[in-house]
């Protein structure tokens, strides 16, 4: 069985950078990643920057993702953007279920499920975020918590559909806090998630699905996380806003 999973590093810019700053940063990333890359690089800027950054990166090794979308294809949803609209820009991925969306915008597992379906229906690839808050980790019930997120938002999918998903494990207590989960904690959860996929689907799907880690990834801890057996890359927030630092993180995954 071919166990090769191409690593993927995703920059989550969140609500940061003007268009001008975003253009400059993406050019820096393109320059830093020219040559033969053994991993996939994705940048998720705010909606307003997507068209321009897609133009700039066309033909390069940098892919563009959106950070969110609505689950309806169109309609009276002021301020929202649909997966179909994102598809018409020619982008590849959409982040879905990020903990900040769950927390600040009250997205439930049910809403995340509808969004996953909409993203797939539009022909795009979801980067599905899951992960537990600190109080769940404190009671050592993180496995049950994450399993519920997988069951309620992902495991209704067919095997063929699930193959288009990247799972990002992002423990909430490690996001933007500077507190990184230890490589052992990360490996333990990634192995658990992969086991859940094997149990629900089969060994081949489990071996093929990419599971990324997110939460205070930095140039100095990236390598120790990315070398864990079940870690197939990262979703990077703060460190992705700095060109040289993000390129170091990419190199840690590609190396
Ligand atoms: P962080 O964010 O790297 O700043 O912790 C990660 C994320 O929220 O995706």
């Amino acid at each position: 069985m071919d166990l090769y999973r191409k690593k993927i590093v995703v920059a989550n810019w969140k609500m940061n950078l003007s268009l001008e700053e975003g253009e400059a940063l993406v050019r820096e990333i393109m320059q830093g990643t020219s040559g033969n890359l053994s991993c996939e690089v994705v940048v998720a800027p705010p909606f307003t920057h997507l068209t321009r950054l897609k133009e700039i990166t066309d033909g390069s090794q940098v892919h563009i993702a959106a950070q969110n979308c609505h689950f309806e294809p169109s309609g009276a949803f002021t301020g929202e953007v649909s997966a179909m609209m994102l598809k018409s820009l020619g982008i590849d991925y959409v982040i879905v279920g990020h903990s900040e969306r769950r927390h600040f915008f009250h997205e439930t597992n049910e809403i995340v499920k509808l969004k996953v379906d909409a993203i797939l229906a539009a022909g795009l690839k979801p980067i599905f975020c899951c992960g537990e808050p600190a109080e769940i980790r404190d009671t050592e019930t993180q496995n049950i918590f994450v399993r519920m997120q997988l069951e309620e938002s992902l495991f209704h999918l067919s095997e063929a559909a699930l193959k288009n998903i990247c799972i990002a494990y992002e423990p909430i207590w490690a996001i933007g806090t500077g507190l990184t989960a230890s490589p052992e904690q990360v490996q333990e959860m990634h192995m658990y998630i992969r086991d859940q996929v094997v149990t629900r689907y089969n060994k081949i799907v489990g071996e093929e699905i990419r599971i990324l880690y997110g939460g205070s990834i930095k140039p100095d801890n990236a390598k120790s996380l990315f070398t864990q057996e079940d870690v197939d890359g990262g979703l990077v927030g703060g460190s992705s806003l700095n060109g040289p630092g993000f390129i170091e993180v990419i190199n840690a995954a590609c190396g």
Side-chain angles (χ1 to χ4, degrees), residues 151-163:
E151 277 175 1
E152 293 183 3
S153 306
L154 271 195
F155 284 175
H156 64 290
L157 294 174
S158 68
E159 180 180 330
L162 194 84
K163 285 185 171 172

Side-chain angles (χ1 to χ4, degrees), residues 202-213:
N202 57 56
K203 195 152 170 63
I204 296 174
V205 187
E207 296 289 3
E208 283 179 357
I209 198 160
R210 290 185 293 181
I211 307 175
L212 322 185
Y213 167 74

